[in-house]
């Protein structure tokens, strides 16, 4: 079947485009990528633009050459960042090393799923881009022990058609609604120049979002901040609220886990995880008071944890005084003595760590001086919990 017939069949299956489509200069895009792109992708993008199709966590979000109205999504920066971080993540679970463009025969990012997985073309299979099969980098390996790389063995249009066997309509992907055309940066310049600048310039949340672009659809949960504050018995510092709203649930550079702040009913939401950490902290303090100098919230000046690390450290505040915005960050380290509260707020402490802050100053792990921070610096969103997950 010819491509035009296949596209027509797909259109009959999913319906017409839901929104206006930003124009694409395919010659410029392909020149920047240094590879031709599959005809089915170009036809789909020209017809539909950045859309979402399918249901639940497996629904696919098609990334296209465009720029979001708020500037958080830039196609070129997204490709570079996705390749960079996808080269890091699987090494936690497998010895298999995959190459990414611009390396010859490397993978090329296409899109993501609602569950936080990434889709790529495998350009090593053929010189003909129309023969490139789709490969998935899954996020379920930590739970199920599966291999992180899954090859579908078929081109993109076949994968998307299989997602909508019963005619599930294509939906406009809200974060990219109203997107404008993308223009490749000049040769010899960083496509992610904003990130490189933010390694040393700027402060607070603005610097963090420049370093690591937030997810376009962060997982917050279905509750409200007021309901969370009522459950915890206090408001939380405004800088933390803004950070959590921007990024939602996820992991910072394979070290710091942030729970879904407004997921009040799930055991992995902020409320339940904080309550669990407090129970453990109280028990340890009762048994070893000399090792845990801070009382536990809601005692005055109590330790109030909201995040944890892969090493078992707990991070939050010394809740001293009635103004949460004046609280100092406090750490309950798993393998060291609990020291005094740190200088600065949660966001500033996170930024210093991302920039390589030393533990004597910040209480966080750090990178060696010979490491390029952008090669190890990322935020990986957590997908929505499975329906069968308590």
């Amino acid at each position: 079947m010819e491509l035009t017939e296949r596209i027509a069949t797909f259109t009959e299956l999913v319906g017409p485009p839901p929104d206006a489509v930003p124009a694409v200069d395919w010659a410029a895009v392909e020149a920047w990528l240094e590879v031709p792109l599959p005809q089915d992708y170009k036809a789909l993008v020209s017809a539909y633009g950045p859309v979402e199709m399918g249901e639940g966590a497996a629904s696919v979000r098609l990334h296209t050459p465009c720029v979001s109205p708020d500037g958080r999504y830039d196609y070129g920066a997204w490709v570079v960042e996705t390749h960079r971080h996808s080269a890091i993540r699987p090494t936690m679970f497998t010895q298999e090393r995959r190459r990414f463009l611009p390396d010859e025969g490397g993978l090329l990012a296409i899109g993501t799923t609602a569950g936080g997985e990434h889709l790529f073309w495998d350009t090593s299979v053929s010189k003909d881009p129309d023969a490139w099969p789709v490969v998935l980098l899954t996020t379920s390996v930590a739970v199920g022990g599966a291999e992180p790389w899954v090859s579908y063995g078929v081109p993109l249009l076949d994968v998307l058609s299989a997602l909508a066997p019963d005619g599930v309509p294509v939906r406009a992907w809200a974060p990219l609604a109203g997107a404008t055309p993308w223009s490749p940066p000049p040769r010899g310049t960083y496509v992610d120049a904003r990130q490189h600048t933010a390694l040393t310039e700027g402060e607070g949340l603005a610097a963090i979002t420049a370093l690591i672009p937030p997810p376009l659809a962060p997982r917050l949960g279905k509750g409200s901040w007021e309901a969370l504050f009522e459950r915890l018995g206090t408001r939380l510092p405004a800088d933390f609220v803004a950070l959590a709203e921007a990024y939602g649930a996820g992991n910072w550079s394979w070290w710091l886990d942030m729970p879904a702040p407004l997921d009040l009913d799930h055991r992995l939401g902020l409320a339940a995880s904080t309550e669990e950490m407090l129970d453990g902290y109280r028990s340890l303090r009762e048994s070893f008071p000399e090792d845990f100098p801070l009382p536990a919230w809601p005692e005055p000046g109590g330790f109030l944890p909201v995040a944890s690390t892969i090493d078992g450290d707990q991070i939050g505040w010394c809740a001293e005084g009635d103004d949460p915005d004046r609280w100092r960050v406090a750490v309950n380290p798993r393998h060291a003595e609990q020291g005094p509260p740190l200088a600065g707020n949660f966001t500033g402490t996170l930024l210093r760590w991302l920039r390589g802050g030393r533990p004597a100053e910040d209480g966080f792990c750090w990178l060696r001086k010979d490491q390029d921070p952008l090669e190890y610096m990322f935020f990986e969103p957590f997908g929505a919990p499975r329906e069968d997950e308590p």
Side-chain angles (χ1 to χ4, degrees):
M1 185 184 296
E2 295 293 331
L3 178 61
T4 53
E5 296 178 85
R6 297 175 63 213
I7 294 293
T9 299
F10 181 80
T11 301
E12 291 177 4
L13 182 67
V14 303
D19 206 348
V21 177
V24 179
D25 183 342
W26 290 112
V29 172
E30 291 174 324
W32 181 77
L33 291 171
E34 298 183 341
V35 293
L37 292 171
Q39 294 296 327
D40 62 351
Y41 172 75
K42 291 194 288 187
L44 284 171
V45 170
S46 297
Y48 286 90
V51 292
E52 182 176 18
M53 60 193 71
E55 297 290 348
S59 61
V60 170
R61 295 157 173 176
L62 193 63
H63 287 245
T64 71
C66 64
V67 178
S68 64
D70 60 8
R72 287 193 299 156
Y73 174 83
D74 172 280
Y75 173 74
W78 175 78
V79 169
V80 169
E81 183 181 357
T82 301
H83 288 184
R84 177 189 294 142
H85 299 154
S86 297
I88 302 168
R89 185 184 189 282
T91 59
M92 298 286 291
F93 307 103
T94 180
Q95 296 300 313
E96 182 182 7
R97 302 279 180 165
R98 303 300 295 261
R99 292 174 297 164
F100 298 83
L101 290 183
D103 291 348
E104 185 177 356
L107 300 175
L108 172 57
I110 314 168
T112 55
T113 71
E117 299 168 322
H118 296 300
L119 293 164
F120 303 85
W121 285 296
D122 186 350
T123 73
S124 69
V125 170
S126 173
K127 296 294 185 182
D128 178 8
D130 295 331
W132 290 345
V134 173
V135 174
L136 177 77
L137 174 57
T138 179
T139 58
S140 63
V141 288
V143 177
E147 282 296 312
W149 296 105
V150 179
S151 178
Y152 291 122
V154 294
L156 177 64
L157 186 56
D158 294 335
V159 172
L160 298 182
S161 297
L163 287 173
D166 299 319
V168 176
V170 168
R171 304 177 297 280
W173 191 22
L176 296 187
T180 56
W182 176 74
S183 297
R187 286 290 174 190
T189 61
Y190 284 122
V191 70
D192 52 354
R194 186 175 175 225
Q195 287 177 274
H196 283 81
T197 299
L199 283 171
T200 56
E201 298 180 11
E203 296 297 333
L205 183 59
I208 290 179
T209 56
L211 272 176
I212 304 177
L216 294 176
R219 177 189 160 194
L220 301 181
K222 297 180 180 180
S224 68
W225 286 106
E226 290 304 323
L228 173 66
F229 297 158
E230 182 177 357
R231 181 162 168 179
L232 294 179
T234 180
R235 303 187 70 82
L236 296 180
D239 75 289
F240 175 83
V241 171
L243 177 74
E245 284 185 332
Y247 289 89
N251 176 274
W252 293 89
S253 300
W254 278 114
W255 189 68
L256 178 63
D257 283 335
M258 294 280 285
L262 306 183
D263 199 343
L264 302 180
D265 299 324
H266 196 271
R267 63 181 178 83
L268 297 180
L270 187 149
S273 62
T274 289
E275 290 164 354
E276 183 178 352
M277 286 189 286
L278 279 173
D279 287 343
Y281 183 82
R282 289 191 189 96
S283 177
L284 289 170
R285 178 172 161 78
E286 289 175 2
S287 301
F288 309 99
E290 68 281 2
D291 295 328
F292 298 90
L294 292 179
W297 172 261
E299 294 182 54
F303 177 55
L304 176 58
V306 290
S308 60
T309 75
I310 61 171
D311 298 316
D313 310 307
Q314 299 170 352
I315 301 170
W317 302 274
C318 171
E320 187 174 25
D322 297 330
D323 184 0
D325 292 332
R326 298 177 66 86
W327 290 350
R328 292 174 295 168
V329 172
V331 180
N332 175 27
R334 173 75 180 278
H335 302 293
E337 294 181 358
Q338 186 179 35
L342 309 177
N345 60 22
F346 194 100
T347 302
T349 305
L350 175 61
L351 178 61
R352 287 194 296 274
W353 169 60
L354 291 171
R355 286 174 169 169
R358 295 187 175 280
E361 301 167 356
D362 299 319
F364 284 99
C365 64
W366 76 101
L367 299 175
R368 299 192 313 268
K369 290 184 177 181
D370 62 342
Q371 292 174 313
D372 178 0
L374 289 183
E375 294 295 328
Y376 298 86
M377 186 185 302
F378 62 92
F379 179 83
E380 180 173 299
F382 294 153
R386 302 189 307 271
E387 294 182 2
D388 60 343
E389 187 177 8

